[in-house]
Amino acid sequence: QRQLLVRIPMAKGRPRDSTSCATARPAKNRRTSEVQEQAHDGTLWAGPIPGKPALVTGKEQPKLDGQEVNVKQRLPGDIWLCETLEGLTANIAAKNLKPPSTGTNLLEKAATALRPTVSGGRLPCRRAEQEQIRTHISSSVKQGGSRQVLYVSGMPGTGKTASVLEIVRQESRKTSKFKFVHMNAMSLANPNTFFAEVLKCLRSGKFAMTSAHQELSSFFAERKESDPVIVLLIDELDYLVTRNQAVLYRVFDWLGYPQARLVLVTISNTMDVPERLLPRITSRFEITRVDFEPYSRDQICTILKDRLQAHGAGTAFTTDALKLCAGRVAAGSGDVRKALQLCRHAVQMRLATGGGVVEFSHMDSTARDLLHANPTAQAVRGQSVMARRFLASLLLELRRKGVCAAPLPKVVARFKKVIHSMPDLCEVPESEAQHADDAAYFVRRFVAMSLISRQADSCRSHPCTLLALGGGLDAEDLATALLAVEDDESIRELLRCEVQM
């Protein structure tokens, strides 16, 4: 017997009650995809053949003759795959089988498209950077390894890791001559466990954690020409930093072996790690740089539109709403993940209010709600004038240098300039020592509040402390929180100018 579907038209005018009946008439060979598309035109679908599966639309579990039908599977778009009962006539509980609204379905598609992990290999606005990465990896694999180091740098959320992984995925389809090893240093308990984790990926069997480095050195020193090339990606390179840089120096030393057959790709949020941390390496190996600039407003808007259109949700947002989202994110960190988060919250808000297109006002309200919902940003607004000046000084220094962490002496120097420019608003310290004491107090206080984090930079000729924003606070949130309570127009203008860089 062929599996057939019948169409049961919904009554026009007043809705049918749960006792209404409809006679099923066979329809010819309709595929599930066709049913899903036609399920939104106000019709219901059911299977006429006893014992054969049926497709029915509705938000709640279907009923036949007032009894719930045994559901085999719930398909996307509120399509229920059910077991049919006897006969071609069924009493449909219409109240429980209202077709999902088109607007709601559109927003659900948008919510799927805006998940950070959903890209489908689509990375618009990064073609130039991807071509540089592709060229280096492809040529290095063909020549059996390379003494050049590919150094990918840029602010968080600018597509560095996604671009490298996509290029590796594409190249692996073309050739099987390399083995890919991906290590995220941030996930390691400490830098010294790096060697053991790499060794686990390259070979099976037991080994002592303390001897992992020696075994890896032997592995790369004794490779054969027939062995596959190892493409080693080290993400978050900064987390392998130690006082004497022993870990990083040992890793880069592998490139010096004649038959290492190794391609080394590194990713960092800081542009000057090689020069600042590894002078011995820069003098021995050539470094190929690929810098990822923060996304601009137009680029973020393009990325959002591309994702939505790829999932059939191109009309879920108005153009003005997307531009507002892109503009606010670009004015802060340029982190596209922040834009995805903002849009997802706007979609959730619209779904909670019955659906519909996300407009400018909805996006604006969502942005304000997210800021108010962030306890870290709220804590900024409750600080004293002097404390806010210190945070503003840190923000301006981070944005001016385009880095994630700034040296404490530089922040203190900028803090001094800021408070001296407005002596009427806060008490100006009388000496350099008092400046340093005030700064040290604010650092301890904000670290305890998780507003900022403190890092040791032992690689300079004169070791100093680096300051970065805390995990629950990014540059955009901090700038918005400061602007919300700032009274001095010169500071407001300074924050706006720096944030819009």
Side-chain angles (χ1 to χ4, degrees):
Q1 286 182 317
R2 291 185 304 165
Q3 177 182 343
L4 300 179
L5 300 172
V6 298
R7 186 182 190 192
I8 307 175
M10 293 289 288
K12 296 183 179 180
R14 64 180 182 86
R16 291 180 295 176
D17 58 27
S18 60
T19 61
S20 299
C21 298
T23 301
R25 290 177 295 176
K28 296 181 180 179
N29 296 331
R30 297 188 182 276
R31 299 190 303 270
T32 301
S33 59
E34 294 175 338
V35 172
Q36 291 178 356
E37 290 295 318
Q38 297 183 35
H40 302 294
D41 66 359
T43 64
L44 303 175
W45 294 89
I49 300 177
K52 292 292 183 179
L55 289 169
V56 183
T57 64
K59 285 291 185 181
E60 300 180 15
Q61 184 170 344
K63 294 182 180 180
L64 292 175
D65 295 324
Q67 301 295 320
E68 288 188 346
V69 179
N70 184 18
V71 174
K72 290 187 175 182
Q73 186 180 359
R74 186 174 183 177
L75 304 173
D78 292 314
I79 307 294
W80 300 80
L81 180 60
C82 310
E83 290 183 358
T84 58
L85 301 180
E86 295 181 0
L88 298 181
T89 302
N91 292 331
I92 306 296
K95 291 182 179 180
N96 295 325
L97 292 173
K98 294 181 180 178
S101 66
T102 304
T104 301
N105 187 56
L106 188 66
L107 290 175
E108 290 171 350
K109 291 180 180 179
T112 300
L114 295 167
R115 292 174 185 166
T117 55
V118 177
S119 66
R122 304 170 68 91
L123 296 167
C125 306
R126 291 302 187 200
R127 290 184 179 178
E129 293 87 348
Q130 289 172 28
E131 282 307 311
Q132 288 179 270
I133 296 170
R134 187 195 311 277
T135 299
H136 178 87
I137 293 179
S138 177
S139 60
S140 298
V141 170
K142 287 180 181 178
Q143 64 188 24
S146 174
R147 288 174 59 88
Q148 293 182 338
V149 180
L150 180 62
Y151 183 74
V152 182
S153 63
M155 297 292 286
T158 52
K160 303 184 298 297
T161 302
S163 293
V164 174
L165 293 179
E166 177 59 21
I167 295 304
V168 169
R169 185 185 66 82
Q170 293 176 9
E171 291 300 311
S172 65
R173 290 180 174 179
K174 300 177 184 178
T175 178
S176 58
K177 295 182 179 180
F178 72 89
K179 178 180 177 63
F180 179 58
V181 178
H182 180 193
M183 298 300 302
N184 190 318
M186 186 171 63
S187 65
L188 300 175
N190 64 73
N192 292 314
T193 61
F194 172 81
F195 302 107
E197 295 301 323
V198 173
L199 193 56
K200 288 179 185 177
C201 298
L202 293 178
R203 68 167 217 189
S204 58
K206 296 181 179 180
F207 57 88
M209 296 283 289
T210 54
S211 65
H213 163 244
Q214 289 83 0
E215 295 197 38
L216 276 174
S217 296
S218 299
F219 174 86
F220 286 111
E222 301 169 359
R223 306 205 71 209
K224 300 177 181 178
E225 196 168 329
S226 58
D227 291 335
V229 173
I230 303 298
V231 178
L232 175 58
L233 170 61
I234 305 177
D235 206 347
E236 303 288 356
L237 181 70
D238 314 63
Y239 285 86
L240 292 184
V241 171
T242 58
R243 182 170 293 276
N244 59 4
Q245 306 309 340
V247 174
L248 287 175
Y249 281 132
R250 287 172 177 173
V251 172
F252 283 88
D253 280 345
W254 297 336
L255 295 173
Y257 297 147
Q259 297 296 326
R261 297 184 66 77
L262 174 64
V263 179
L264 187 57
V265 182
T266 61
I267 299 177
S268 172
N269 294 332
T270 310
M271 296 181 63
D272 61 346
V273 166
E275 293 79 11
R276 186 165 57 88
L277 304 182
L278 309 168
R280 194 175 87 189
I281 294 224
T282 55
S283 63
R284 294 173 56 201
F285 303 105
E286 181 180 349
I287 295 180
T288 301
R289 294 179 175 276
V290 180
D291 296 328
F292 281 66
E293 296 294 332
Y295 285 114
S296 66
R297 186 187 74 165
D298 290 342
Q299 287 177 324
I300 293 175
C301 202
T302 298
I303 292 169
L304 295 175
K305 288 181 179 179
D306 182 82
R307 277 181 170 247
L308 292 169
Q309 291 171 358
H311 288 77
T315 58
F317 290 76
T318 65
T319 301
D320 287 343
L322 291 179
K323 286 183 177 179
L324 174 63
C325 172
R328 291 198 174 179
V329 173
S333 59
D335 187 337
V336 73
R337 295 171 300 185
K338 186 77 174 179
L340 295 174
Q341 179 193 32
L342 192 57
C343 288
R344 284 201 312 275
H345 277 275
V347 167
Q348 291 168 3
M349 184 183 75
R350 293 298 286 145
L351 283 170
T353 57
V357 175
V358 179
E359 300 178 352
F360 183 95
S361 60
H362 306 130
M363 185 64 71
D364 184 52
S365 176
T366 301
R368 285 187 275 104
D369 289 344
L370 275 181
L371 178 64
H372 294 316
N374 186 340
T376 309
Q378 284 291 81
V380 171
R381 303 175 68 173
Q383 299 302 309
S384 66
V385 174
M386 283 281 280
R388 295 201 305 269
R389 295 288 185 271
F390 183 82
L391 289 172
S393 301
L394 172 58
L395 173 64
L396 299 180
E397 190 64 25
L398 292 174
R399 300 309 297 166
R400 186 178 71 86
K401 292 289 188 179
V403 295
C404 297
L408 177 58
K410 294 286 187 181
V411 177
V412 173
R414 184 173 284 272
F415 176 54
K416 177 182 176 181
K417 293 179 182 179
V418 168
I419 61 176
H420 274 280
S421 66
M422 53 207 63
D424 296 336
L425 293 181
C426 51
E427 183 181 351
V428 178
E430 298 178 356
S431 65
E432 293 294 331
Q434 189 173 347
H435 276 295
D437 289 343
D438 288 343
Y441 167 74
F442 288 133
V443 168
R444 291 194 301 270
R445 178 178 178 179
F446 293 145
V447 167
M449 297 174 65
S450 298
L451 291 179
I452 66 174
S453 62
R454 182 167 44 194
Q455 305 170 9
D457 184 1
S458 59
C459 305
R460 297 172 179 266
S461 55
H462 301 287
C464 69
T465 298
L466 297 177
L467 299 182
L469 297 180
L473 188 68
D474 63 18
E476 180 193 357
D477 289 339
L478 178 57
T480 305
L482 290 171
L483 284 169
V485 292
E486 183 56 62
D487 296 324
D488 186 86
E489 190 56 39
S490 62
I491 290 290
R492 293 177 62 84
E493 188 63 28
L494 189 60
L495 285 170
R496 289 195 194 101
C497 292
E498 289 287 344
V499 168
Q500 290 172 1
M501 287 178 58

